[in-house]
Amino acid sequence: MKQDIILSGVGGQGILSIATIIGEAATQAGLTLKQAEVHGMSQRGGDVQSNLRLADGPIASDLITAGTADMILSLEPMEALRYLPYLDKEGWVITSSSPFKNIPNYPADEDWSAALKALPHVVMVDVEALAREHAMPKCANVILLGAAARFLNILTVEQLRGSVARIFAAKGEAVVEMNQRAFDIGHDAALVE
Amino acid sequence: MEKKLLLGDEAIALGAIHAGIRGVYAYPGTPSTEITEYIQRHPLARERGLHSTWCTNEKTAVEAALGVSYAGGRVIACMKHVGLNVAADAFVNSAITGVNGGMIVIVADDPSMHSSQNEQDSRFYGKFSLMPVLEPSTQQEAYDMMEYGFELSEREKLPVLMRIVMRLAHSRAAVTVKDSASDVQALPCAKDPASWVLLPANSRRKYAALVEQQPRLEELAAKAPYTRYEPSDKKKPMGILACGIGYNYVEEVKEAKSCFNVLKITQYPLPVSLVRQLAEDSNGILVVEDGQPFAEELVKGMLSADYPVKGRLTGDLPRTGELTPDSVATAMGHQPVRFFEMPKEVVSRPPALCQGCGHRDVYTALNEVVKDYPNARVFADIGCYTLGALPPFRAIDTCLDMGASITMAKGAADAGVFPAIAVIGDSTFTHSGMTGLLDAVNDKAQITVIISDNLTTAMTGGQDSAGTNKFEAICLGLGVEPEHVRVVVPLPKNMEEITRILREEIEYKGVSVVIPRRECIQTLNRKLKQKRAEKKS
Ligand SMILES: Cc1ncc(C[n+]2csc(CCOP(=O)(O)OP(=O)(O)O)c2C)c(N)n1
Ligand code: SF4
């Protein structure tokens, strides 16, 4: 069994924090993992992506082959579309629906949303709005992870939820609780979708 | 034995600590920076007092590392590929002096130029200087190769080049590491001027010995623990010669093991014996290497002219750019299927200077002033401020290599360009700008140098900058007139003052230096966060 995930977003949104949580859960579960990260130039408000590969056996390549990604997990809707050539025909796109418009020629809202809605397996969650609504401004990433949890077949929802607790443990009980709540909010939002 | 999730860079760092280094000498550069940063943070490195502060540039780093080796310690020097150009003089000559304590120079190449000006392949430097070269394919090999590399270096009395690529440097995987580190190695200090004083008489003898050593180095490369020949059961199938991480992309193709003879290369000089064996067992060779067609050209030279060799030179793999599992699979006859295309609405999203960055105010002021000088040229340099090339600023005309702003401006001024303005960052100035400024002062060149000082090396993640608090003194020491060293604070409210000073200094017939100084907001925020966290606990 394997799960190839492309994480995408805009520099500064913190896609690597999601990778860290999934990676911790995978390691705890005894899975193999490879994760190609982005550092350097690409981080100043440019597009960023990371390849996260999980498997129950050895993994050769650090990068995902075109047409084989099981999931695109994106903190930004246009950035989700950028990596479609990597998506397997049965793959899922789980994306934030809040555009990050730091360029003058950002596509029209109806265009990017139509392109996303045309996909066979897509979940769009307005994680920014949910984060604001529940007064947890820093938790948009964890809300998105919660939304993806059901579709990450190689890990259970409980394994991921446990990892959220362990990753934030050093920051105290309150932070752990808030992030687990964020995770649940995302999880439930994806159920409605 | 313990398993740790490590970046390739971190695996190298930990491997070096565990092999008992005295220290790391480095100048930051993507994708090599995390090697040194890992050592800086590591408790054992602190406990042992290992050297890990940043050097002023790559040349000082390699020279200092060689000094440690001379004194009998194990040592690494780390840099990005273009850093090796800066260190080349020391590097190439260190193969002639040879080493005492083990020394590994780790160079991170950047195929596809994710954060670089070119995609030069450091293996050429290894061949050029006749040094052994290691090229790990995985994070685990990177870790294991440190101990191995030091033993190789000490046995052969040569520095060893370890070449990695961005994908390995910045990819994380589980690495099995030793439970305890070897002691810090300490051989007796060298005392052998006939080896270490490179007068022609000594150099000729040492160089001849180095050339004579090559067949043995090649034999060692053929027997290297991570180099492997995996013949398939098929009779005379296609052969693949895969270097470093190229091997992973080959392995990613399910049919690789059964349908191809695969020769995995992790050490150079490229062993002729293995290449000939592969050629004999196969009906052709596909060379899979991340970087320039280094091995491909060598393989061609080792075989008869009509033997089919495929790779980047033949177009079976793209001539430029990083290898991908897609391009390798395609070259192996297994083109991946795409189910979805990128919609045409998707546009590129280039990086930009952070909001509130002082470089922004510098460019706003400079653009305002330059408006009045239609022939002005702005010679810039390498750092965050290179992003001033992009809209909305479009403020710079050139960027070549670290330090070239001042020297190119000087040359252009010599040839009649007015105003010739240089824009350089603080870390770049101490890396390679100071010597050029001395040239300009000695020639009384009419240039204006803007040292945009954000108190850090921001582009690579905010490392300490060697010249912080010393810039005025350096400029005065180099002979810039005191009244033409001007410091300003780049903030919108100071725009009137900054533009006035720029105009005055452009009009001055000699070398003037304007230093806009305000801390990078990213490092500032990080410090504030740290302070808050410290207060809490
Ligand atoms: C020879 C060489 N070494 C290292 C690098 C990597 N590098 C690019 S910019 C930079 C530092 C820039 O620092 P500074 O001049 O202070 O400008 P800032 O990014 O802080 O604005 C470094 C280390 C390089 N491009 N070339
Ligand atoms: S990291 Fe610092 S120097 Fe670089 S653009 Fe951002 S604020 Fe400016």
Side-chain angles (χ1 to χ4, degrees):
Chain A
M1 182 135 86
K2 65 111 185 166
Q3 184 96 31
D4 287 334
I5 307 162
I6 293 188
L7 291 153
S8 61
V10 178
Q13 283 189 315
I15 61 167
L16 290 183
S17 66
I18 300 182
T20 306
I21 299 171
I22 301 176
E24 202 269 355
T27 310
Q28 286 288 325
L31 298 173
T32 319
L33 168 162
K34 274 203 172 184
Q35 187 205 334
E37 297 184 359
V38 276
H39 300 221
M41 184 84 158
S42 43
Q43 288 178 312
R44 276 164 198 72
D47 55 285
V48 290
Q49 58 99 2
S50 166
N51 283 197
L52 180 57
R53 310 194 66 194
L54 312 175
D56 53 10
I59 299 169
S61 165
D62 299 86
L63 294 176
I64 296 169
T65 306
T68 68
D70 302 289
M71 181 182 289
I72 295 173
L73 183 50
S74 184
L75 278 163
E76 209 283 339
M78 183 181 77
E79 295 309 323
L81 294 170
R82 194 183 298 282
Y83 303 100
L84 283 183
Y86 289 92
L87 193 65
D88 186 277
K89 68 175 179 308
E90 298 302 328
W92 280 86
V93 174
I94 317 289
T95 181
S96 159
S97 58
S98 338
F100 190 105
K101 298 185 180 176
N102 63 344
I103 42 171
N105 53 341
Y106 195 92
D109 288 351
E110 54 275 18
D111 288 346
W112 63 256
S113 65
L116 278 169
K117 283 179 188 144
L119 297 169
H121 307 295
V122 63
V123 175
M124 288 194 255
V125 180
D126 193 344
V127 294
E128 303 290 340
L130 285 171
R132 269 195 308 274
E133 188 183 312
H134 293 89
M136 39 175 72
K138 286 187 182 157
C139 296
N141 297 4
V142 178
I143 296 177
L144 185 73
L145 174 65
R150 225 157 33 93
F151 307 95
L152 281 164
N153 297 328
I154 203 164
L155 290 164
T156 65
V157 172
E158 274 318 304
Q159 282 171 321
L160 286 163
R161 206 170 179 279
S163 172
V164 170
R166 288 189 295 274
I167 293 281
F168 290 101
K171 298 200 169 160
E173 193 60 35
V175 178
V176 168
E177 211 174 283
M178 174 153 69
N179 278 285
Q180 286 201 318
R181 208 152 59 79
F183 182 88
D184 296 340
I185 289 167
H187 179 265
D188 295 348
L191 285 180
V192 180
E193 274 291 318
Chain B
M1 292 289 181
E2 183 196 351
K3 268 200 172 180
K4 273 180 179 289
L5 210 49
L6 297 175
L7 291 177
D9 276 349
E10 296 172 343
I12 288 170
L14 191 57
I17 295 172
H18 283 174
I21 52 165
R22 263 308 283 115
V24 52
Y25 292 78
Y27 181 73
T30 314
S32 70
T33 311
E34 292 80 1
I35 304 172
T36 305
E37 288 182 333
Y38 187 87
I39 297 174
Q40 289 172 341
R41 285 194 309 266
H42 199 281
L44 183 60
R46 284 211 196 136
E47 188 187 308
R48 289 180 165 187
L50 305 186
H51 180 275
S52 65
T53 48
W54 293 106
C55 301
T56 301
N57 67 32
E58 294 85 355
K59 180 169 183 280
T60 67
V62 169
E63 289 159 351
L66 190 62
V68 172
S69 160
Y70 180 91
R74 285 186 169 179
V75 66
I76 58 174
C78 312
M79 63 206 69
K80 69 183 292 166
H81 58 345
V82 288
L84 190 51
N85 298 335
V86 177
D89 201 7
F91 176 80
V92 174
N93 287 310
S94 71
I96 315 279
T97 58
V99 304
N100 180 30
M103 165 158 148
I104 306 181
V105 178
I106 298 149
V107 183
D109 290 357
D110 188 12
S112 279
M113 310 180 224
H114 294 275
S115 17
S116 311
Q117 321 94 294
N118 74 31
E119 55 176 23
Q120 66 184 61
D121 188 323
S122 300
R123 293 175 299 172
F124 283 100
Y125 268 110
K127 182 169 165 54
F128 180 53
S129 12
L130 303 177
M131 255 182 228
V133 178
L134 303 178
E135 189 181 14
S137 74
T138 62
Q139 293 78 357
Q140 182 72 54
E141 284 177 6
Y143 173 84
D144 294 337
M145 271 188 191
M146 296 312 291
E147 180 74 48
Y148 169 78
F150 283 121
E151 283 168 11
L152 176 68
S153 168
E154 281 160 9
R155 215 176 330 108
E156 295 305 313
K157 297 232 154 277
L158 285 178
V160 168
L161 170 65
M162 178 184 275
R163 184 249 185 180
I164 57 171
V165 291
M166 179 281 231
R167 263 325 141 186
L168 179 64
H170 285 174
S171 174
R172 221 173 266 285
V175 178
T176 307
V177 304
K178 293 198 299 190
D179 295 323
S180 62
S182 309
D183 292 336
V184 174
Q185 302 284 307
L187 299 172
C189 181
K191 186 162 176 33
D192 177 15
S195 276
W196 289 87
V197 179
L198 292 186
L199 279 169
N202 291 334
S203 300
R204 285 187 203 111
R205 182 174 36 77
K206 296 270 303 185
Y207 184 60
L210 178 61
V211 169
E212 212 166 282
Q213 203 175 352
Q214 295 304 304
R216 188 169 73 247
L217 296 182
E218 194 179 309
E219 225 171 274
L220 289 172
K223 289 191 293 207
Y226 315 97
T227 290
R228 229 180 10 241
Y229 180 39
E230 299 163 343
S232 88
D233 302 331
K234 282 206 174 154
K235 226 179 144 178
K236 282 251 178 195
M238 189 68 188
I240 295 178
L241 185 143
C243 303
I245 74 159
Y247 177 77
N248 305 347
Y249 301 133
V250 172
E251 243 196 334
E252 186 69 21
V253 175
K254 272 198 302 295
E255 297 79 0
K257 285 257 151 59
S258 55
C259 298
F260 298 87
N261 294 325
V262 181
L263 173 58
K264 175 188 176 197
I265 295 290
T266 61
Q267 188 173 329
Y268 307 83
L270 189 64
V272 181
S273 55
L274 292 181
V275 173
R276 294 228 167 103
Q277 164 98 58
L278 176 68
E280 206 166 289
D281 297 350
S282 315
N283 62 17
I285 293 179
L286 170 70
V287 181
V288 178
E289 55 191 328
D290 208 5
Q292 293 178 303
F294 170 78
E296 190 178 344
E297 280 184 343
L298 290 173
V299 167
K300 273 176 182 286
M302 291 171 180
L303 304 173
S304 66
D306 56 351
Y307 190 90
V309 176
K310 301 197 285 185
R312 288 183 183 269
L313 291 172
T314 54
D316 290 85
L317 284 162
R319 178 66 180 79
T320 61
E322 190 184 11
L323 287 181
T324 62
D326 306 357
S327 63
V328 174
T330 303
M332 290 167 69
H334 294 273
Q335 187 166 11
V337 189
R338 293 178 176 219
F339 303 100
F340 306 94
E341 288 309 318
M342 187 175 82
K344 60 178 188 326
E345 289 82 17
V346 178
V347 292
S348 67
R349 194 190 299 258
L353 290 166
C354 302
Q355 292 305 324
C357 171
H359 294 319
R360 281 181 175 263
D361 301 312
V362 172
Y363 284 129
T364 303
L366 188 58
N367 280 349
E368 177 64 28
V369 171
V370 161
K371 265 205 317 234
D372 301 335
Y373 296 94
N375 296 324
R377 293 292 187 277
V378 177
F379 302 88
D381 226 298
I382 303 201
C384 280
Y385 51 95
T386 315
L387 294 171
L390 306 178
F393 300 107
R394 297 185 198 276
I396 66 174
D397 295 296
T398 71
C399 165
L400 174 76
D401 66 29
M402 290 189 77
S405 55
I406 297 177
T407 30
M408 278 186 71
K410 178 198 181 288
D414 290 350
V417 171
F418 174 79
I421 300 162
V423 177
I424 187 167
D426 49 302
S427 183
T428 304
F429 178 73
T430 42
H431 177 286
S432 288
M434 299 186 291
T435 44
L437 186 59
L438 182 58
D439 277 350
V441 166
N442 287 345
D443 271 2
K444 297 200 171 34
Q446 190 173 357
I447 63 169
T448 303
V449 178
I450 299 173
I451 304 176
S452 195
D453 181 6
N454 56 6
L455 309 174
T456 188
T457 315
M459 177 90 256
T460 42
Q463 295 77 21
D464 290 341
S465 178
T468 298
N469 296 329
K470 302 190 181 80
F471 291 101
E472 290 91 315
I474 292 171
C475 294
L476 297 179
L478 291 172
V480 183
E481 299 293 335
E483 56 278 25
H484 296 287
V485 178
R486 320 270 304 255
V487 180
V488 297
V489 180
L491 279 170
K493 66 172 176 150
N494 298 338
M495 218 30 81
E496 190 276 322
E497 181 201 359
I498 305 168
T499 50
R500 177 174 47 77
I501 287 178
L502 280 174
R503 280 182 217 279
E504 286 168 14
E505 296 310 330
I506 285 171
E507 288 301 329
Y508 169 62
K509 298 213 175 336
V511 178
S512 52
V513 177
V514 179
I515 309 178
R517 178 173 295 136
R518 178 157 71 81
E519 184 164 10
C520 158
I521 52 170
Q522 296 291 350
T523 51
L524 185 67
N525 285 342
R526 200 161 11 155
K527 281 185 200 156
L528 290 178
K529 240 190 199 170
Q530 253 166 4
K531 264 203 196 132
R532 255 181 271 138
E534 274 162 27
K535 251 194 199 156
K536 256 192 196 166
S537 64

